[in-house]
Amino acid sequence: MISRSLFSRKPHTPIIQSLLFRSRITQKSSFALASSCSTFSRKIPSASNSDSGNLYKLNHKDWLSPTEVLKIFSNLKDSVAVISVLEQYSKRKDYKPNEALYTLVINQLAQAKSFDAIEDIMKRIKNERMCRLSDGFFYNVIKIYGNMAGRIKRAIETLFDMPSYNCWPSVKTFNFVLNLLVSAKLFDEIHDIYTSAAKLGIEIDACCLNILVKGLCENGNLEAAFYVLDEFPKQNCQPNVRTFSTLMHGLCEQGKVEEAFGLLERMENEGIDADTITFNILISGLRKQRRVEEGLTLLEKMKAKGCYPNSGSYQEVLYGLLDKGRFMEAKELVGRMVSERMGPSFMSYKKLIHGLCNERSVEDVDWVLKQMVQQGFVPRMGMWREIIRCASSGHNSYNHVYITEVVDSLAR
């Protein structure tokens, strides 16, 4: 159970990180960089002739505009070159880095997977304190740490370190870190981050609560997830269709389909319209309990509510029919899907052909096979053998002609 204290919205004194780190970026010889364009070409193999010409500007006393500096760095491809040129630029009297430059440098290092170098750059920025950085800058850095580098701990540390750069996180950045933890299934850390919202000056929004609901549901803690649902109005937030869909999915995963439908009723009573995702979750829940008829009924109910089914809606019902061995109805549904330009999956075609072959329905197998090929699927050898055995079991002329066609197609 989540403590009610975690929903406190009173701001606290911001946490300021006091430890400053000196940059450990490798120092490069300025003499080597100042020698000539050919020297740059040798030290930075990835630079073209025009790039070397741009780098040569760093050795002149002419004042460089921010645009010219960005152009120099944007032409660099090698991570070692990026660090080296940044060191050279930092020795100039007109050295005045800005957010655009730091973002460019960090993105180049990220592309080169030089994540340790990014940490050095962040320390350098803190030590220099030469420009103000926006929340968008930190959002980008946190995203690189979380998605590209897999350094989730460093992403969390960067979030909490933002005030020491004189920048406070937005709710967007805060929510990104929360979602990062949910995606990584680090459920124990979610509570600690969430309760730190007030310290970071974050005002909780519906998106934040939805992420929390998602994490609790994925962790199997539905009781706590429903507690968060009740907390929405206390946080001056309104639950939306995504809130209810997440809870319904959690209930269906635990086989509590009736409770999921009860939640649908509550949602509609609160004036929130169900969307296709909501209905697909319920149809999937019914399918897992082999309640095919109710799935078909719900498919029609969707249309009555102005929510048109998508391929996922039909596919769940189709799997339900196949699981129950209702192959002719499944074939009709495939025809309906194809006419509405929704392609059934390869697995559903495979199961349908297997079922029709067992029923020795050669003409129906032929129709399904043609639809399958038109959808771009290539039957495997095992499927061809099964089709030939099915056609060989009969003695009418259609079967023999069909076998000939299948053998000819295999020969081609």
Side-chain angles (χ1 to χ4, degrees):
M1 179 67 71
I2 296 178
S3 172
R4 292 182 180 270
S5 62
L6 68 88
F7 295 97
S8 173
R9 304 176 65 208
K10 295 180 180 180
H12 295 278
T13 303
I15 300 174
I16 305 297
Q17 298 289 339
S18 60
L19 297 178
L20 299 178
F21 299 90
R22 293 191 177 277
S23 174
R24 296 180 180 175
I25 300 176
T26 305
Q27 300 295 320
K28 299 295 181 180
S29 170
S30 59
F31 174 80
L33 287 167
S35 58
S36 64
C37 292
S38 60
T39 304
F40 279 113
S41 297
R42 288 194 298 273
K43 289 183 71 62
I44 307 170
S46 60
S48 63
N49 292 333
S50 59
D51 298 340
S52 298
N54 289 326
L55 290 169
Y56 190 67
K57 294 179 182 179
L58 288 173
N59 301 294
H60 287 271
K61 295 182 180 180
D62 295 340
W63 196 270
L64 291 175
S65 69
T67 302
E68 289 177 307
V69 174
L70 286 175
K71 184 177 180 181
I72 290 171
F73 279 89
S74 64
N75 288 322
L76 301 175
K77 306 300 180 184
D78 182 67
S79 60
V80 176
V82 172
I83 299 298
S84 178
V85 174
L86 181 62
E87 283 300 310
Q88 176 69 6
Y89 175 48
S90 69
K91 294 179 174 64
R92 291 177 56 93
K93 291 183 179 180
D94 59 356
Y95 176 59
K96 192 176 182 180
N98 54 31
E99 180 176 320
L101 175 60
Y102 284 136
T103 299
L104 177 60
V105 168
I106 286 173
N107 286 344
Q108 287 174 318
L109 293 173
Q111 289 299 321
K113 300 188 184 303
S114 299
F115 303 116
D116 289 339
I118 293 177
E119 295 195 24
D120 289 335
I121 293 295
M122 294 300 293
K123 293 172 186 176
R124 178 188 192 122
I125 294 171
K126 185 187 290 187
N127 287 337
E128 290 180 341
R129 296 185 178 276
M130 295 187 68
C131 71
R132 292 186 63 85
L133 300 173
S134 69
D135 171 76
F137 171 84
F138 287 97
Y139 180 88
N140 179 59
V141 173
I142 290 171
K143 190 174 181 181
I144 289 172
Y145 281 141
N147 292 346
M148 296 181 67
R151 302 185 179 188
I152 298 177
K153 181 180 178 181
R154 192 70 192 96
I156 296 171
E157 291 171 351
T158 302
L159 173 71
F160 284 100
D161 205 24
M162 285 177 62
S164 66
Y165 291 86
N166 295 319
C167 180
W168 292 86
S170 67
V171 68
K172 174 185 175 182
T173 302
F174 182 80
N175 288 346
F176 178 83
V177 174
L178 271 183
N179 201 47
L180 193 65
L181 293 172
V182 172
S183 299
K185 299 189 183 301
L186 299 175
F187 303 114
D188 293 338
E189 285 82 357
I190 295 173
H191 178 268
D192 294 335
I193 301 299
Y194 182 81
T195 54
S196 300
K199 296 178 183 178
L200 291 171
I202 300 296
E203 186 172 345
I204 300 301
D205 65 357
C207 179
C208 181
L209 293 174
N210 279 345
I211 294 170
L212 198 60
V213 168
K214 178 183 176 183
L216 291 168
C217 285
E218 290 189 6
N219 197 28
N221 194 346
L222 290 180
E223 183 180 358
F226 274 94
Y227 176 76
V228 175
L229 176 63
D230 294 333
E231 287 293 328
F232 269 80
K234 298 176 185 178
Q235 295 291 321
N236 294 324
C237 299
Q238 292 294 326
N240 53 30
V241 63
R242 195 61 53 241
T243 314
F244 285 99
S245 294
T246 303
L247 288 166
M248 288 178 194
H249 182 265
L251 289 168
C252 288
E253 284 295 300
Q254 294 189 8
K256 301 177 180 179
V257 178
E258 297 304 327
E259 292 182 38
F261 273 95
L263 204 57
L264 174 66
E265 185 177 350
R266 172 179 170 177
M267 181 175 111
E268 292 175 339
N269 290 337
E270 293 183 14
I272 302 172
D273 293 327
D275 62 8
T276 304
I277 294 175
T278 308
F279 282 108
N280 287 359
I281 289 170
L282 293 172
I283 291 173
S284 177
L286 290 171
R287 177 210 161 190
K288 290 176 181 177
Q289 294 190 348
R290 302 178 67 85
R291 295 159 66 176
V292 183
E293 290 297 338
E294 293 173 73
L296 286 165
T297 301
L298 192 57
L299 195 65
E300 298 304 320
K301 185 178 179 180
M302 289 176 65
K303 296 180 181 180
K305 289 183 173 292
C307 182
Y308 204 77
N310 60 15
S311 59
S313 315
Y314 284 109
Q315 190 66 65
E316 283 297 326
V317 174
L318 178 58
Y319 278 134
L321 291 171
L322 292 170
D323 291 343
K324 297 279 284 187
R326 295 162 63 169
F327 300 113
M328 294 309 297
E329 292 175 77
K331 178 202 165 190
E332 292 176 8
L333 189 59
V334 166
R336 185 171 164 186
M337 291 177 70
V338 171
S339 66
E340 296 183 13
R341 298 183 179 180
M342 298 179 187
S345 68
F346 174 82
M347 185 56 64
S348 56
Y349 275 120
K350 180 180 178 181
K351 287 185 175 183
L352 181 55
I353 287 176
H354 176 74
L356 291 172
C357 282
N358 287 339
E359 294 182 353
R360 303 290 187 265
S361 182
V362 180
E363 292 187 30
D364 292 317
V365 169
D366 180 35
W367 182 88
V368 174
L369 182 61
K370 289 177 180 176
Q371 297 301 322
M372 179 181 177
V373 173
Q374 288 176 5
Q375 293 292 317
F377 293 117
V378 179
R380 297 172 183 172
M381 189 56 65
M383 192 179 297
W384 284 120
R385 291 195 188 98
E386 189 171 22
I387 292 170
I388 292 174
R389 281 197 297 269
C390 171
S392 301
S393 62
H395 301 287
N396 58 56
S397 59
Y398 177 85
N399 287 16
H400 293 297
V401 171
Y402 184 61
I403 292 175
T404 303
E405 291 176 352
V406 169
V407 172
D408 287 343
S409 65
L410 285 171
R412 289 195 296 269

